[in-house]
């Protein structure tokens, strides 16, 4: 290699290392309350409760400035949709499991205590359906589910710097699905709409 090529290669390596240094990887565990919003044209269906589930995944926060971070990752997120009609003659529940790729912006405060900062989080995500199953084989209203969901994500929390390279965080988030989970429904229920809602307690560590 010429000196010019070696110099360019060295600059490229240093730039790559600098970019990597601006990204913090971590693990997240989140108890979630999974619910949904249910409706049809005649307004004869309603949501049938909620359930506690657990989400887990990898996260990556990239530094944009001292107070702004771009947050993404790959997260396993279980959901459920359940509905009933006004007469109580139809009650059905389905399990859904997604892989979520979030794209959110974190806005940090100054230190509110030694090594402790608060943050707000806003953004969206692409969620890919990887599994679905009816709770009972007799549940046949939903014949096919939409393969993706796109939620709005709002959250808040705190981060505590526990060491030179270790940060512990905790917070909560609200995720409101925008896509109708029903792709195909049985005859007579073609107008059924089910959209997911998640309330999450977010706990984790970054390295």
């Amino acid at each position: 290699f010429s000196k010019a090529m070696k110099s360019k290669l060295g600059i490229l390596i240093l730039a790559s290392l600098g970019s990597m240094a601006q990204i913090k990887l971590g693990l997240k565990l989140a108890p979630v309350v999974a619910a949904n919003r249910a409706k049809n044209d005649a307004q004869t269906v309603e949501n049938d409760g909620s359930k506690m589930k657990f989400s887990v995944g990898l996260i990556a926060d990239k530094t944009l400035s001292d107070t702004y971070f771009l947050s993404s990752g790959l997260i396993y997120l279980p959901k459920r949709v359940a509905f009933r009609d006004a007469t109580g003659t139809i009650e059905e529940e389905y399990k859904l499991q997604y892989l979520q790729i979030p794209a959110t912006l974190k806005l940090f405060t100054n230190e509110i205590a030694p090594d402790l900062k608060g943050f707000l989080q806003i953004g969206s995500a692409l969620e890919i359906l990887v599994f679905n199953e009816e709770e009972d084989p007799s549940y046949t209203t939903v014949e096919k589910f939409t393969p993706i969901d796109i939620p709005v994500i709002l959250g808040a929390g705190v981060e505590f710097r526990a060491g030179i390279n270790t940060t512990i965080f905790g917070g909560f988030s609200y995720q409101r699905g925008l896509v109708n989970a029903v792709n195909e429904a049985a005859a007579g229920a073609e107008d059924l709409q089910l959209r997911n809602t998640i309330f999450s307690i977010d706990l984790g560590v970054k390295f």
Side-chain angles (χ1 to χ4, degrees):
F1 289 111
S2 66
K3 288 185 177 180
M5 287 294 292
K6 289 180 179 178
S7 177
K8 290 180 180 179
L9 182 60
I11 292 171
L12 181 61
I13 292 172
L14 289 174
S16 298
L17 291 175
S19 178
M20 287 297 294
Q22 293 179 334
I23 298 176
K24 299 204 73 173
L25 302 178
L27 300 173
K28 184 177 86 166
L29 174 66
V32 303
V33 177
N36 64 271
R37 293 108 60 204
K39 70 174 184 177
N40 61 358
D41 292 345
Q43 298 185 350
T44 57
V45 298
E46 59 185 18
N47 169 43
D48 191 16
S50 60
K51 279 190 176 179
M52 178 73 76
K53 296 180 178 291
F54 287 91
S55 172
V56 64
L58 302 173
I59 60 170
D61 284 358
K62 178 176 174 56
T63 304
L64 301 179
S65 72
D66 290 342
T67 55
Y68 290 84
F69 286 73
L70 181 64
S71 184
S72 188
L74 183 63
I75 298 167
Y76 163 73
L77 181 60
K79 302 184 183 182
R80 50 96 73 170
V81 291
F83 62 94
R84 60 189 176 197
D85 67 358
T87 64
T89 56
I90 298 176
E91 293 185 5
E92 295 191 5
E93 180 179 345
Y94 299 81
K95 299 176 183 177
L96 304 177
Q97 297 177 9
Y98 292 84
L99 286 180
Q100 182 189 77
I101 304 171
T104 63
L105 184 66
K106 284 184 177 179
L107 294 77
F108 281 84
T109 66
N110 295 323
E111 286 192 353
I112 54 180
D115 295 321
L116 183 69
K117 292 183 178 182
F119 67 85
L120 296 176
Q121 186 171 12
I122 184 170
S124 186
L126 173 63
E127 296 178 350
I128 302 169
L129 182 66
V130 294
F131 176 82
N132 64 267
E133 182 182 54
E134 64 277 4
E135 283 285 357
D136 187 284
S138 65
Y139 298 163
T140 57
T141 299
V142 181
E143 297 179 345
K144 185 178 180 181
F145 285 96
T146 305
I148 65 168
D149 195 5
I150 299 175
V152 172
I153 300 174
L154 300 172
V158 294
E159 285 196 355
F160 175 72
R161 186 175 179 182
I164 297 176
N165 296 312
T166 304
T167 303
I168 299 170
F169 66 87
F172 62 90
S173 61
Y174 169 70
Q175 305 182 27
R176 185 179 180 87
L178 303 179
V179 178
N180 181 12
V182 181
N183 187 287
E184 296 179 9
E190 295 90 348
D191 60 344
L192 177 64
Q193 297 184 40
L194 302 171
R195 288 179 170 83
N196 289 296
T197 301
I198 293 288
F199 297 94
S200 175
I201 299 174
D202 305 317
L203 305 170
V205 59
K206 295 189 296 184
F207 305 99

